[in-house]
Amino acid sequence: MIDQKAIKKGLNALSKVDQDIAKAYKKIGPPEPRIRENSFASFLSIIVGQQISTKAAAAIMSRVSSTLPSLTASSVLDIDEQQLRDAGLSWRKIEYAKGLARAVTTGELALDKLDSMSDQEVIESITRLRGFGPWSAEIHLMFSLHRPDVFPADDLALLNALAHLKGLKERPTPKKAREIVDHWSPNKSVGSLFLWHYYHQL
């Protein structure tokens, strides 16, 4: 569990291996935990949050939750697509949500088995689904499966924050970003949380 205690412990360790984090941590303090369940609802929230701000995603997820009888695969399968569109989901995201619901219902995505898989196995299992790339899988690894060493390198906010933290002239590519934070292991998840926290202070 990446709770407040784990975050502070991770940041203390990161501060010893990265002077930029040490300096920023001293200035802005630790981030809040982001803990989700390993559930259909968590996967649905990932779809909702793709390529939009955290604030916008929260507003749309609230409307979707109010529209659905329950945050379950069967509810998403049964509901009319126009109702989801009226709640704020794009047609593309509705397609992804319906596909997710079918995968969970048929067992193609076995939620109860993810916790026993390695990080790479989880990523491979999730990215087989339409609409779920590495970012989506890594977000689930971090927030719902509580894996400690994950860096979602396709996240633009993370890349922008990393560029600012490291004094880079331009945003690094995901590949370059992974190289830059390689020495954060085994605390990359806490480092990622800190970068989002840092981004909101810019």
Side-chain angles (χ1 to χ4, degrees), residues 56-94:
I60 293 173
M61 191 65 192
S62 177
R63 291 198 296 272
V64 169
S65 299
S66 298
T67 301
L68 291 166
S70 59
L71 286 176
T72 60
S74 58
S75 290
V76 170
L77 285 177
D78 292 343
I79 197 168
D80 183 74
E81 292 183 0
Q82 185 60 53
Q83 288 181 266
L84 292 175
R85 183 70 188 95
D86 292 343
L89 285 184
S90 66
W91 292 115
R92 179 69 59 84
K93 289 185 179 181
I94 292 168

Side-chain angles (χ1 to χ4, degrees), residues 39-51:
S39 64
F40 174 80
S42 293
F43 275 98
L44 184 60
S45 71
I46 289 173
I47 292 174
V48 172
Q50 290 172 349
Q51 298 181 320

